[in-house]
Amino acid sequence: MSRTVFDFVTTMLVVCGSLSVGTSEARADDFGRVSLLEENDSLYDTSDKHYTQGIRISYLTPDLSSGSRWNAPFDFLGALGPVFSPAGSGQDQSRRISVFLGQSLFTPNDKTGTIPDPNDRPYAGWLYLGTSLLQETDRNQLDHLELAIGLVGPGALGQQAQNDFHQFIGAAQAHGWRSQLRNEPGGMVSYERLWRVPLLSFASLTLDVVPQVGATVGNVATYGSAGGMIRIGRNLQADYGPARIRPALSGTDYFDADHLDGPLGFYVFAGVQGRVVGRNIFLDGNSFHNGPSVDKEILVGDLQAGVSLFWSRDIQVLFSAVSRTREYDHQPSPDVIGTATLSFSL
């Protein structure tokens, strides 16, 4: 367990170091940014089922200078299609790269039996590493392309992560992990576009809306999505809403403090997203082996509300709750997921 996690962390630190060196030489006035994201169904409640735990750590580079070699993937992809507008097109652009690693755990509602109910959600773990390309254009549009690769199955260390923690806090063990999905390399590519649309300002507050559309393709998840978020607060131009762990409401690691009017920022928000799901390995089961699975719902929706507080680029905290509609047949009720994020500059 420790060796696998160590290798993932070491890989991320090496990438972060090279990204920092490659960007800080040209933008000494800017800073990298680390975010720690926790999603848990028992964060604000006593629930412990289905999507029961997600953790993600990410590093966001400073704004890339026009001469940085890290612009190459943006320019290459922009030449292939309407994903990223080219540099020097006369538009105000900001480009950043994010790297991340994470782990997600899924369990049935009843974890007391060694043989789970075949109509309940299967046990599954997902350990992954990824990168995102983020380009803001004219301070009101964000293109976000993301690649995540990793492992589904026992190698994702879901059993160890859940039961070791439960033992530490004195909670009941989950007894059915032996029936979890088998080891399978996994990956998914996601693209989404978000817009920031100011609606009105009054006193020192601003009201805006952030609509989005996107799609994800891979053996882990395949779906199309559309939704939006409404926010009210101060200094909303710093980001496009909170980052989330896929599949979920859209959000990104993007943060830009250069256009803030004073250091203090905050907003309350509410958002909704609908997804048309073609594949979800955590419900459909392994791609090439027979094993546990359930009949998934094709249409899934999320409703989210929360609050974000930040002091310039130095530190940001965010708390939210998400209600997710039923994802499979025989699911007794929608799920509620709590999220908490801490971000700080380096």
Side-chain angles (χ1 to χ4, degrees), residues 67-110:
S68 171
R69 66 182 183 273
W70 296 103
N71 282 295
F74 292 89
D75 296 334
F76 173 75
L77 293 169
L80 297 178
V83 180
F84 300 111
S85 56
S89 60
Q91 298 172 306
D92 182 13
Q93 290 182 346
S94 173
R95 289 175 169 178
R96 299 171 191 261
I97 297 175
S98 172
V99 292
F100 56 86
L101 66 85
Q103 182 192 50
S104 296
L105 309 181
F106 304 87
T107 67
N109 183 41
D110 182 4

Side-chain angles (χ1 to χ4, degrees), residues 11-213:
T11 300
M12 184 174 180
L13 290 175
V14 170
V15 174
C16 290
S18 63
L19 286 171
S20 298
V21 171
T23 55
S24 61
E25 292 174 351
R27 295 294 297 257
D29 59 334
D30 210 344
F31 299 86
R33 184 177 179 84
V34 172
S35 294
L36 303 172
L37 169 60
E38 165 75 8
E39 296 187 342
N40 199 301
D41 62 339
S42 60
L43 197 60
Y44 310 132
D45 197 359
T46 58
S47 174
D48 188 18
K49 64 182 188 302
H50 302 156
Y51 174 39
T52 188
Q53 159 73 15
I55 188 167
R56 178 181 182 270
I57 178 172
S58 63
Y59 171 78
L60 179 71
T61 70
D63 189 9
L64 302 179
S65 69
S66 58
S68 171
R69 66 182 183 273
W70 296 103
N71 282 295
F74 292 89
D75 296 334
F76 173 75
L77 293 169
L80 297 178
V83 180
F84 300 111
S85 56
S89 60
Q91 298 172 306
D92 182 13
Q93 290 182 346
S94 173
R95 289 175 169 178
R96 299 171 191 261
I97 297 175
S98 172
V99 292
F100 56 86
L101 66 85
Q103 182 192 50
S104 296
L105 309 181
F106 304 87
T107 67
N109 183 41
D110 182 4
K111 292 176 290 300
T112 60
T114 56
I115 302 177
D117 182 349
N119 292 319
D120 205 344
R121 183 165 197 153
Y123 283 90
W126 163 232
L127 187 66
Y128 58 91
L129 177 73
T131 186
S132 297
L133 304 181
L134 300 138
Q135 176 177 293
E136 184 185 48
T137 303
D138 291 335
R139 295 177 58 185
N140 59 20
Q141 176 183 303
L142 185 69
D143 290 287
H144 178 205
L145 182 66
E146 178 180 294
L147 170 66
I149 56 174
L151 183 66
V152 174
L157 308 175
Q159 177 180 0
Q160 294 90 329
Q162 183 175 55
N163 284 342
D164 287 357
F165 180 70
H166 279 200
Q167 183 178 23
F168 176 74
I169 64 174
Q173 301 282 291
H175 297 287
W177 273 103
R178 289 181 178 229
S179 67
Q180 69 177 298
L181 301 186
R182 298 174 64 174
N183 279 330
E184 179 177 333
M188 51 185 176
V189 177
S190 302
Y191 171 75
E192 59 191 351
R193 177 169 288 181
L194 302 90
W195 297 266
R196 189 167 52 215
V197 183
L199 297 180
L200 58 92
S201 297
F202 53 95
S204 61
L205 303 179
T206 300
L207 178 71
D208 74 2
V209 62
V210 184
Q212 64 83 211
V213 294

